[in-house]
Amino acid sequence: IPAELRNLDQWVMWRREQPAGKKKPTKVPRTPTGALAKSTDPATWCSFATALAAAGRFDGLGFCFSEHDPYTGCDFDAKEGEALTAAHWAAINALSSYSERSQSGRGIHVITKAKLPGPGQNVRKLGMEIYDRGRFFVMTGDTVDGLPTTIEERQTETAAHYQMLWDAKNAGKPDVTPPPAAAPV
């Protein structure tokens, strides 16, 4: 995990939990005491050292994206029993920034230095998500051979990926206003 992320007090721990009424377990952010953490509330976050010290009581660590940091997280997930697609790998390679395997082992997280022109996107049919605030990513530190282990400035590439996701999510919807062009970081 890059030092520039470890140096920020934007960490939580997480547990896999089965929320009432939900079909599948989910990763729930927690504070070092075990209380519920919120990806939108910095008061519930901690330092990397504190999170690491508490990690043994949880399923892992997570990094919270904030409007006050320069980072965007891109998530690529393969369907269960399948591998990442050529489209996933094309986007991962185009972003060419810090990349690690996801906790499930079926996906890749890429973190870039960039800001999104609009709200985060989750396009389930493509197995792709992108966020720059209000979410947390489970972090593994299990980097991907051949991809950067540093977080790179990728405003243009991230904005292009965002636009592709926005277009895919909103294709065929009437009266949908496209996002504004992304501002440079």
Side-chain angles (χ1 to χ4, degrees):
I1 298 174
E4 63 189 278
L5 296 183
R6 292 191 320 259
N7 290 334
L8 297 173
D9 292 343
Q10 292 177 219
W11 291 89
V12 294
M13 287 63 54
W14 65 273
R15 279 195 188 118
R16 185 173 307 279
E17 298 178 18
Q18 181 74 43
K22 298 280 185 174
K23 293 181 182 181
K24 294 179 6 179
T26 187
K27 298 174 191 105
V28 177
R30 296 286 174 180
T31 69
T33 65
L36 185 64
K38 295 180 183 177
S39 60
T40 57
D41 183 1
T44 65
W45 306 345
C46 63
S47 70
F48 179 79
T50 300
L52 194 59
R57 300 189 317 270
F58 300 91
D59 292 324
L61 304 179
F63 178 80
C64 297
F65 292 93
S66 163
E67 64 187 80
H68 304 293
D69 69 47
Y71 306 110
T72 293
C74 305
D75 187 6
F76 301 89
D77 290 314
K79 294 179 181 173
E80 195 160 339
E82 296 182 15
L84 291 172
T85 67
H88 287 127
W89 284 109
I92 292 165
N93 287 316
L95 292 166
S96 190
S97 190
Y98 177 76
S99 301
E100 64 173 36
R101 287 173 189 79
S102 63
Q103 177 272 330
S104 69
R106 292 192 319 265
I108 304 287
H109 291 163
V110 179
I111 299 177
T112 65
K113 288 181 186 164
K115 283 296 177 191
L116 301 181
Q121 299 292 314
N122 180 349
V123 184
R124 293 187 202 291
K125 66 184 175 186
L126 297 180
M128 297 182 197
E129 301 174 55
I130 189 168
Y131 305 102
D132 68 353
R133 67 186 72 105
R135 292 295 187 121
F136 83 101
F137 270 15
V138 166
M139 301 293 288
T140 65
D142 184 9
T143 57
V144 181
D145 291 342
L147 293 171
T149 57
T150 55
I151 303 172
E152 303 298 326
E153 296 275 352
R154 296 286 188 257
Q155 184 63 48
T156 301
E157 297 84 353
T158 303
H161 182 61
Y162 179 90
Q163 186 66 51
M164 182 276 298
L165 292 178
W166 191 92
D167 290 346
K169 186 173 185 176
N170 293 291
K173 291 182 182 176
D175 301 324
V176 177
T177 304
V185 175

